[in-house]
């Protein structure tokens, strides 16, 4: 058993799906350093890294085929592969309008713009500071590592996190 499976194999609320999610069904080579998941990546070339083949599925198709419950929150932390994951969940996001948290530390500004273009236009983008506060100012995004996309009908849930203007 892998670490995640061994932690949750008897948990009544957790089901492990041992696939990666992305834009399309494919097998991709993941670069990794043994014992160091923050530096494992499907998107970045890592010098002297070990490699493993990962089966990646289109997220929308995988959800339909497995009759997964509609998500209310999605968290994406895939070391630079975030655009591909969100692209593969575009239909799920449009239909179910979940709050989406994603790590942006490895992303360039154009990749964040690409993510923004993949969700409905009324979603609000915010950046979380390391202290848990939230800002809409993209110039301050490097003060933290995570971002959140929120549909307007759920925006009130984050009001207590907003920094004063």
């Amino acid at each position: 058993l892998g670490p995640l499976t061994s932690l949750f194999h008897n948990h009544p609320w957790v089901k492990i799906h041992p696939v990666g999610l992305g834009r399309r069904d494919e097998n991709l080579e993941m670069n990794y350093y043994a014992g160091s998941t923050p530096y494992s990546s499907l998107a970045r070339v890592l010098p002297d890294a070990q490699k493993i083949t990962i089966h990646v599925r289109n997220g929308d198709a995988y959800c339909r085929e497995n009759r997964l419950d509609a998500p209310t929150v999605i968290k994406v932390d895939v070391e630079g592969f975030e655009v591909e994951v969100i692209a593969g969940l575009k239909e799920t996001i449009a239909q179910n309008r979940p709050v989406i948290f994603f790590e942006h530390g490895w992303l360039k500004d154009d990749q964040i713009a690409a993510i923004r273009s993949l969700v409905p236009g009324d979603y609000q983008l915010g950046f979380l500071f390391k202290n848990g506060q939230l800002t809409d100012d993209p110039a301050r995004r490097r003060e933290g590592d995570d971002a959140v996309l929120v549909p307007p009908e759920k925006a009130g849930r984050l009001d207590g996190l907003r920094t004063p203007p």
Side-chain angles (χ1 to χ4, degrees):
L1 297 176
L4 190 60
T5 303
S6 65
L7 282 172
F8 293 107
H9 73 279
N10 286 325
H11 197 286
W13 301 338
V14 177
K15 182 174 180 189
I16 305 301
H17 298 267
V19 299
L21 297 181
R23 188 181 301 261
R24 66 188 63 82
D25 292 354
E26 60 187 329
N27 289 319
L28 294 176
E29 196 170 74
M30 183 173 79
N31 295 283
Y32 74 98
Y33 298 118
S36 180
T37 60
Y39 297 104
S40 300
S41 182
L42 290 167
R44 296 179 296 118
V45 175
L46 304 173
D48 302 318
Q50 296 177 24
K51 297 178 186 326
I52 187 170
T53 299
I54 302 293
H55 184 58
V56 175
R57 295 289 319 276
N58 170 274
D60 290 328
Y62 189 81
C63 289
R64 275 191 310 275
E65 290 166 16
N66 290 279
R67 296 186 176 115
L68 300 180
D69 292 337
T72 56
V73 175
I74 295 174
K75 169 64 167 125
V76 184
D77 183 354
V78 289
E79 311 305 326
F81 201 65
E82 285 78 4
V83 174
E84 295 301 308
V85 172
I86 292 171
L89 290 168
K90 190 173 180 180
E91 178 184 309
T92 300
I93 292 166
Q95 288 176 357
N96 301 301
R97 300 182 59 80
V99 174
I100 306 163
F101 291 91
F102 67 95
E103 186 180 51
H104 64 80
W106 298 108
L107 301 179
K108 297 176 182 170
D109 290 343
D110 65 323
Q111 291 172 299
I112 291 178
I115 288 171
R116 185 73 190 86
S117 73
L118 291 167
V119 300
D122 62 348
Y123 266 66
Q124 299 169 21
L125 174 63
F127 298 96
L128 291 160
F129 296 137
K130 292 184 188 321
N131 68 3
Q133 293 291 294
L134 182 68
T135 183
D136 297 331
D137 183 357
R140 297 187 67 192
R141 82 173 180 100
R142 294 294 178 192
E143 294 178 44
D145 295 315
D146 291 299
V148 61
L149 286 158
V150 185
E153 65 272 16
K154 296 177 182 173
R157 296 178 184 178
L158 301 179
D159 284 346
L161 299 176
R162 298 206 183 277
T163 56

